[in-house]
Amino acid sequence: MYQQILAPLFGSLGWSAVAAALPLLVLFALLGLVRMTAWKASLIALAVALAIAMFVYPMPVDQALLSATLGAAFGFFPILWIVINAIWIYQMTVTTGHFDVLQRSFSRISGDRRIQAMIIAFCFGALLEALAGFGTPVAITTVMLLALGISPMTSAVVALVANTAPVAYGALASPLVTLASVTELPLADLGAMTGRQTPLLALFVPMVLVGIIDGVRGVRETLPATLTCGITFAVAQFAASNYVSVPLTDIIAALLAAGATVLLMRVWTPRGAEPPTSEPAGSRAEVLRAYAPYLIIIAVFVVAQLGPIADLLDAVTLKFNWPGLDIRDAGGEALSLTEFKFNWLSGAGSLLLIAGLLTIPVIGISARAALGRYAATYRQLAWAIVTVMTVLAIAYVMNTSGQTATLGTWMAATGGLFAFLSPILGWLGVAVTGSDTSSNSLFGALQVTAAEQAGIDPMLAAAANGSGGVLGKMISPQNLAIAAGAVGMAGREGDLFRRVLPFSLGFLLLMCALIALQATPVLSWMTVM
């Protein structure tokens, strides 16, 4: 058994935080400065995390190595299991030619690929985030953007940056459900508070996406569309989270934003854009089959959430403590992180596999060709698989040894400045784990405790953890690996990291300023429920 120590280095929380930060500093330095491939950088960072855990904290060798194996297992299931099956579905549509039909269908909405990219990356991506979460939106929208003729690097950057505002309510609000569980705050109130923070991001993200594709000129020429999309999503996200349903928030916002943008395109065309093509995308049956895989995905996920069916799927879920792993927090309580949940039937990846199997007869691909595409998907994502499993091993070593808790406790000791820093804590958690759910699990209770000590509304700080966390997703090594692998750029994760880092930091600064002002009379009216 290992019990965490928060200040193992000289009894100093500050020096211990410096040591705890080393694995992350090494990882991001190797990616961003040395330009090392992600799988090599992550393996080196894992060695550093293990060394810090064993020689600074000190964590028994067996407990440290077992933590790494648990993280690697979690990296494959459920995270990679989602991505692999999502990319497989896409690969099948490419093989049958239905993806070309889908692309032509998008061109009938608008001849402007900037608008097409915004609808795919932001609206459709938000819908996928609402239903599946984890890496699904990035995996699918990246390859869809590539099919529009956008370069691989730009496609990956756009998909990563777009996957921000919807993340707090992803996978039917799983991050908020987790946050409510660890903080013992009402889910409805947490969802409502988050809905007074993340919509601010939605106002700007569509404009930023167009800017990435076509610069300032593109932003200026498409402003009516980006404002329509962003404002509609923001208003819908606020209204749904506060007055309708927290789990359905992103589904409502994504559909309304896409619908509003499509309606605008019927009466307005961006300057310099080609008019919508009049060429048929294909016969009605072909178009329906092109959209069928994504309609099947939505249908499978919606049906899987229905009470009796959800219970039936969960009935075969296996939960067990990772063999040999026994970790206690600084207070002596057993860590829930040591439990492995193998929801092999109800997990998002398994539901995507079911959707893929249902797609096979619909799009008319042979079973042999479908199996061949499945094997090809594993080959395509080989290095991404190594990277994601290694990054999650790093996260679990840091979490179980106490390195993450040390960093969080050190930041929580900043007193009145904590309102400004609280989103950074969530950002850091997602940057490490790639999941807003995991970040809320790690830091949610800490945010509440620190807020109470600093005289800040605990509800505000707890929501800030998730709202800040959404901005760490685009720089998470596992998501960088997923995006790079999806467009055949494995090994260039460092280049991708440098491209998205300014957007992550810029949006994070905006969120920090918003939370800090919401903690003062200037914007405290936004937090009154």
Side-chain angles (χ1 to χ4, degrees), residues 138 142 145 151-161 483-484 487 489 496 500:
V138 171
T142 299
L145 293 170
S151 72
M153 176 62 73
T154 302
S155 295
V157 171
V158 169
L160 286 165
V161 174
V487 293
M489 286 174 46
L496 190 54
V500 299

Side-chain angles (χ1 to χ4, degrees), residues 214-234:
D214 196 31
V216 175
R217 178 182 64 87
V219 173
R220 185 172 57 250
E221 291 177 351
T222 62
L223 196 58
T226 55
L227 285 176
T228 297
C229 183
I231 291 173
T232 303
F233 190 97

Side-chain angles (χ1 to χ4, degrees), residues 27-28 30-41 142 146 150-157 160 380 383-384 387 474-501:
L27 179 59
F28 291 130
L30 292 177
L31 283 174
L33 299 178
V34 181
R35 302 190 179 189
M36 186 178 290
T37 56
W39 70 270
K40 293 179 182 178
T142 299
L146 186 64
I150 299 173
S151 72
M153 176 62 73
T154 302
S155 295
V157 171
L160 286 165
Q380 176 187 342
W383 292 118
T387 301
M474 68 180 83
I475 63 165
S476 167
Q478 71 180 57
N479 284 305
L480 293 173
I482 289 168
V487 293
M489 286 174 46
R492 295 188 60 192
E493 293 86 357
D495 295 335
L496 190 54
F497 172 74
R498 286 191 298 278
R499 285 286 302 273
V500 299
L501 181 60

Side-chain angles (χ1 to χ4, degrees), residues 290-499:
Y291 278 93
Y294 306 102
L295 296 174
I296 290 172
I297 290 172
I298 294 171
V300 168
F301 275 92
V302 169
V303 169
Q305 305 305 320
L306 300 177
I309 296 178
D311 293 340
L312 183 63
L313 295 176
D314 274 329
V316 293
T317 294
L318 301 176
K319 293 182 181 179
F320 56 91
N321 289 323
W322 199 249
L325 195 58
D326 188 2
I327 309 290
R328 309 297 169 92
D329 63 21
E333 298 292 327
L335 280 189
S336 60
L337 285 173
T338 61
E339 181 182 80
F340 188 76
K341 181 180 179 181
F342 187 45
N343 51 339
W344 62 273
L345 192 53
S346 63
S350 299
L351 296 179
L352 281 169
L353 177 61
I354 293 170
L357 294 173
L358 294 174
T359 294
I360 290 174
V362 173
I363 63 176
I365 187 172
S366 69
R368 182 176 181 179
L371 184 60
R373 288 294 85 202
Y374 200 72
T377 300
Y378 276 89
R379 291 194 296 270
Q380 176 187 342
L381 296 176
W383 292 118
I385 290 172
V386 174
T387 301
V388 172
M389 293 180 70
T390 306
V391 168
L392 265 295
I394 295 170
Y396 268 71
V397 170
M398 291 185 65
N399 295 343
T400 54
S401 66
Q403 294 173 56
T404 305
T406 295
L407 288 170
T409 305
W410 175 72
M411 291 183 66
T414 55
L417 188 60
F418 185 68
F420 182 84
L421 296 178
S422 58
I424 299 178
L425 197 56
W427 175 83
L428 177 66
V430 177
V432 175
T433 66
S435 164
D436 205 29
T437 300
S438 298
S439 178
N440 284 345
S441 176
L442 286 173
F443 294 133
L446 180 64
Q447 292 270 18
V448 170
T449 301
E452 290 172 342
Q453 294 174 353
I456 299 168
D457 181 3
M459 187 73 69
L460 176 65
N465 194 79
S467 297
V470 307
L471 303 170
K473 195 152 189 176
M474 68 180 83
I475 63 165
S476 167
Q478 71 180 57
N479 284 305
L480 293 173
I482 289 168
V487 293
M489 286 174 46
R492 295 188 60 192
E493 293 86 357
D495 295 335
L496 190 54
F497 172 74
R498 286 191 298 278
R499 285 286 302 273

Side-chain angles (χ1 to χ4, degrees), residues 127-142:
L127 184 60
L128 292 174
E129 179 67 36
L131 295 169
F134 293 96
T136 308
V138 171
I140 291 180
T141 61
T142 299

